[in-house]
Structures are given as structure tokens and as C-alpha cells.
Amino acid sequence: MPKQIIIAEQHRIAAVFGEDRIQELVVATGSHQVSDVYLGVVENVLPGIDAAFVNIGDSERNGFIHVSDLGPLRLKRSSGAITELLAPQQKVLVQVMKEPTGNKGPRLTGNVTLPGRYLVLMPFGKGVHLSRRIENETERNRLRALAILVKPAGMGLLVRTEAENIGEDAIVEDLEFLQRRWESIQAEANTTTAPALLGRDEDFVQRVLRDMYSTEVNRIVADSSGGVKRIKQHLSAWGGGKSPQGVSIDHHRETAPILDYFRVNAAIREALKPRVDLPSGGYIIIEPTEALTVVDVNSGSFTRSSTARETVLWTNCEAATEIARQLRLRNIAGVIIIDFIDMDSRRDQLQVLELFHKELKFDKARPQIAQLSELGLVELTRKRQGQNIYEL
């Protein structure tokens, strides 16, 4: 499926289009963002919940770290009690794993990871791991052997999906960049006064391309000439000095702002509404709550089929495709319960579930789907990646 990427660097918003519809949004706003690395100061330790609050420079809210996320701090000691691992006023190197929501501060981890184009460096990790989306066994063996060969001693490596069919030189260059970044963070941590921000993806264009660019992209539009220049530089660097074939890189010059011209703002407003209409007259209702998100499917004014069974099956199939898109677009995470229209036929149930599985494969957050429950509900979980659209 051909894709377009629209980058509004001025607003730090990007959108990925597929089949003329927005599939995903990238928004980098707020004082604390996922993957930010901080040198923090422990404010207080709470043994009752095996956690601690860490000052990372926000006067209103401290970060929260659980004993299970201490990483290297825990590995160095034999004790598992948090009071023996952390103490007030202790300096700790932490990374934001969940952005602040409501009254809650950011969730922190000591297991720092640094994402690159082809690899993720885990300074406190172990071994070599490969993306499950790399399915070709020959390619998996090649990438695993290369990763084992180049992996820095005492660290871990995750090979990303984007490394598939990429030359060794480009992958090694990506690793060297990540190592230099880690060395810079360590050096700054030894000389700076806590609390302090040590590492962030400041280049929004690079972040969008790193996470969203693939061979399916045939057009990228940026809102500045500088953005266009950096897009070309990054793609050329990743291509071994050659610009990618079949990709149009354009500077938005229309009088209407880029987010209005490509209807990104309109799509965001629509995504904040509970109701989403389906092509054939049905609709879905998406209701987020504190504990989970509930999705209800309704046939509405569907008139395309002559029998009730066909109406239900068609509506549920359209809903499965749209729900998968809405999960990415709204960045809904946690527990999700979907109430499809009841289907008496087991064959129809399996057809809808099979289609839903297929659509969820495009989701980088790796949703884990369960089968139909006894009440006819589909239950799944989706990994949190940044704030959802309601929080933003």
C-alpha cells in the first residue's frame, strides 16, 4: 500500500497517509517525552508499593519508578527491597517509558534503550533479539550472526524490522552512532548537576523518518526548505549515499497551512469524537475509560445485503478494518474490549477474527488479541507508545 508522510516540523506533528486516509499520527510535544533520558534525584522511597518518586526537573510532578524497572541498579545488588537499592537524594540515570497523564507524572525505567534506524542499543541489556516481523529464516540468521559479531560487550542489541535486506555497513554505522550517543550521555551524567535532561530526539524530522519511513512510502512533504534538505540527507545516508528511487520529497508551498491543506487538523478533530461511521452505513462507538477502552459495533443504516447474516458479517468486517486503524490513529493503549455484532455462525466469527488479525499486523505497538470470550467480546491489549490523542 503506497504511503505518504506529511511533516509539520513547526508544530512537531506528522501524519502517515495510506489510501488517502490518515493511518498514524506522530506528535512530539510536552516537557517529558517517551525515550527522554534524565539524570534524576530520588525524592522519596515507598516500600509499601516497592516504588520511588524521582525528581527530573518538573516542579509540579515527580517521575515514578517501580522496583521491577530499576534495571542496572537492581542488578548490582543481591537485595530486592527497594529501600536497599534507592535512597533519598541519590542520583539515578532514568528514561521516560510512559509520558505523564492527568495527575500522574511520567513512568520511568532504569533500563535505558537507544533506538536507531536499524538497531536498538540496550546498554544494560543482554544478548541479541530480532524483530518478530522479520519472517524470512535466511535473513533472520544473517542478521542474528551480524548482531552477535558487532554487539558491544556487556550490552544488548535489538534488530529492528527496518534492518531486513540492509547491508552490513549501514547497520554497523547505525550501531556506531548509537554507541557515540550513549558515550555522550554517560559523559554528561558524570559532569552535570541533577536533575537534568541528558538525551532527547531533538531532530523531529529524523525521528519521524526513523519510525515511519519504509519502502512503501512514495511521497514525503515537509513545511520548510530546511526540513526537505534534512529528509534528503537522512534518506541518502541510510541508502549508502544514494537517494531512494520512487520517493518524491516536496516542500509545501500552498497558501493554506500544511495541517489544514492535508486535512490533518480535521482528522484530529474527528478522532476525538466517539462515533466513527463505516462505508456501508454502520458505525462504531469508541469510549475510553480509566481502566480500559470499549468499542461497540452497530449496523446502523446498512442496506447493502439482503439477509441479516450478510448484513452482520459485512458490518463486522468493515468494523474490524476501521478499529485497527483507529487504534493506531488514536494511539489507544492498555486493555481494549470490542463488542462486535453477535454472529451465530462460527465460520463468520473466524472470518472476522482472521481479518482483524491481518489488519493488526500493520501496528508497530504489537496488539495481543485474545479469542472471542463467552459473551462474544473480543479482548486485546496494546502496548503504550506515548500519549493517546485524548491526552494530547
Side-chain angles (χ1 to χ4, degrees):
M1 178 176 65
K3 293 182 179 179
Q4 293 185 67
I5 300 176
I6 310 302
I7 304 176
E9 188 175 12
Q10 179 183 350
H11 301 280
R12 294 182 71 80
I13 295 176
V16 180
F17 283 77
E19 298 178 345
D20 295 326
R21 303 183 74 196
I22 293 182
Q23 302 294 329
E24 290 182 74
L25 287 169
V26 181
V27 184
T29 60
S31 55
H32 305 303
Q33 299 169 25
V34 169
S35 294
D36 284 355
V37 179
Y38 286 90
L39 182 64
V41 179
V42 177
E43 285 283 317
N44 52 347
V45 182
L46 306 174
I49 57 172
D50 269 340
F53 286 101
V54 180
N55 178 5
I56 56 173
D58 189 328
S59 58
E60 297 181 1
R61 293 177 294 190
N62 288 323
F64 175 89
I65 188 166
H66 189 261
V67 69
S68 60
D69 296 316
L70 289 180
L73 294 166
R74 193 175 189 184
L75 293 173
K76 291 177 182 177
R77 318 275 180 86
S78 58
S79 172
I82 195 165
T83 50
E84 297 182 33
L85 300 172
L86 294 180
Q89 301 308 306
Q90 179 181 340
K91 292 182 181 180
V92 287
L93 187 67
V94 292
Q95 186 172 39
V96 176
M97 59 188 294
K98 291 183 182 178
E99 292 169 340
T101 58
N103 297 322
K104 298 178 181 178
R107 177 77 179 264
L108 307 174
T109 178
N111 291 307
V112 176
T113 59
L114 301 179
R117 173 63 181 162
Y118 306 119
L119 303 170
V120 177
L121 180 65
M122 301 179 289
F124 304 116
K126 292 182 179 180
V128 166
H129 310 272
L130 272 72
S131 166
R132 286 181 291 182
R133 296 172 71 184
I134 302 174
E135 297 178 349
N136 183 286
E137 197 59 37
T138 303
E139 183 64 4
R140 288 184 68 86
N141 291 336
R142 180 186 78 91
L143 291 171
R144 183 181 287 108
L146 175 61
I148 291 171
L149 187 66
V150 302
K151 183 183 78 67
M155 298 187 186
L157 270 186
L158 169 65
V159 181
R160 302 184 64 190
T161 309
E162 288 75 10
E164 192 168 12
N165 301 318
I166 297 297
E168 294 181 6
D169 290 346
I171 294 174
V172 171
E173 187 178 332
D174 192 42
L175 175 59
E176 290 173 347
F177 166 76
L178 294 175
Q179 284 183 278
R180 288 194 300 271
R181 187 178 173 204
W182 174 238
E183 289 167 2
S184 173
I185 288 172
Q186 284 183 303
E188 197 172 347
N190 291 329
T191 57
T192 194
T193 302
L197 174 64
L198 303 182
R200 169 178 285 176
D201 289 328
E202 295 289 0
D203 189 338
F204 183 66
V205 168
Q206 183 184 26
R207 172 179 168 176
V208 171
L209 294 177
R210 183 192 70 204
D211 295 338
M212 298 297 167
Y213 178 75
S214 68
T215 54
E216 295 176 318
V217 174
N218 61 10
R219 188 185 184 204
I220 305 172
V221 184
D223 60 350
S224 68
S225 56
V228 169
K229 183 179 179 180
R230 295 205 313 284
I231 290 168
K232 292 179 179 178
Q233 288 174 341
H234 290 309
L235 295 187
S236 176
W238 293 337
K242 299 179 181 178
S243 298
Q245 298 294 313
V247 181
S248 171
I249 303 171
D250 302 321
H251 179 198
H252 178 73
R253 300 180 185 275
E254 304 293 335
T255 53
I258 189 170
L259 295 178
D260 290 330
Y261 184 83
F262 287 97
R263 292 187 54 77
V264 176
N265 283 335
I268 291 173
R269 286 193 292 271
E270 286 297 315
L272 289 169
K273 297 177 181 177
R275 175 167 169 152
V276 181
D277 291 318
L278 302 174
S280 299
Y283 63 93
I284 61 177
I285 299 292
I286 303 173
E287 292 285 3
T289 71
E290 186 75 19
L292 48 79
T293 299
V294 181
V295 184
D296 187 35
V297 182
N298 299 280
S299 58
S301 58
F302 186 100
T303 56
R304 185 171 291 188
S305 299
S306 57
T307 66
R309 177 186 169 185
E310 287 180 358
T311 297
V312 168
L313 179 60
W314 191 295
T315 303
N316 280 339
C317 285
E318 284 190 346
T321 300
E322 184 60 31
I323 290 167
R325 185 180 84 94
Q326 289 292 330
L327 294 182
R328 298 194 302 272
L329 178 61
R330 301 183 186 218
N331 200 15
I332 296 171
V335 178
I336 301 154
I337 306 294
I338 304 170
D339 186 10
F340 285 104
I341 305 172
D342 290 342
M343 295 170 284
D344 295 327
S345 167
R346 183 61 179 166
R347 176 189 287 183
D348 291 353
Q349 292 176 356
L350 293 175
Q351 184 176 335
V352 171
L353 281 174
E354 186 177 344
L355 175 62
F356 196 35
H357 270 286
K358 180 182 175 184
E359 295 293 332
L360 290 175
K361 282 187 176 181
F362 299 109
D363 195 334
K364 292 182 179 180
R366 302 195 302 273
Q368 301 296 312
I369 184 171
Q371 297 300 312
L372 278 167
S373 71
E374 291 182 7
L375 297 176
L377 307 174
V378 174
E379 304 165 1
L380 66 149
T381 59
R382 186 174 183 272
K383 183 181 177 183
R384 182 179 172 90
Q385 295 186 321
Q387 293 174 294
N388 62 42
I389 201 165
Y390 309 103
E391 294 162 344
L392 289 167

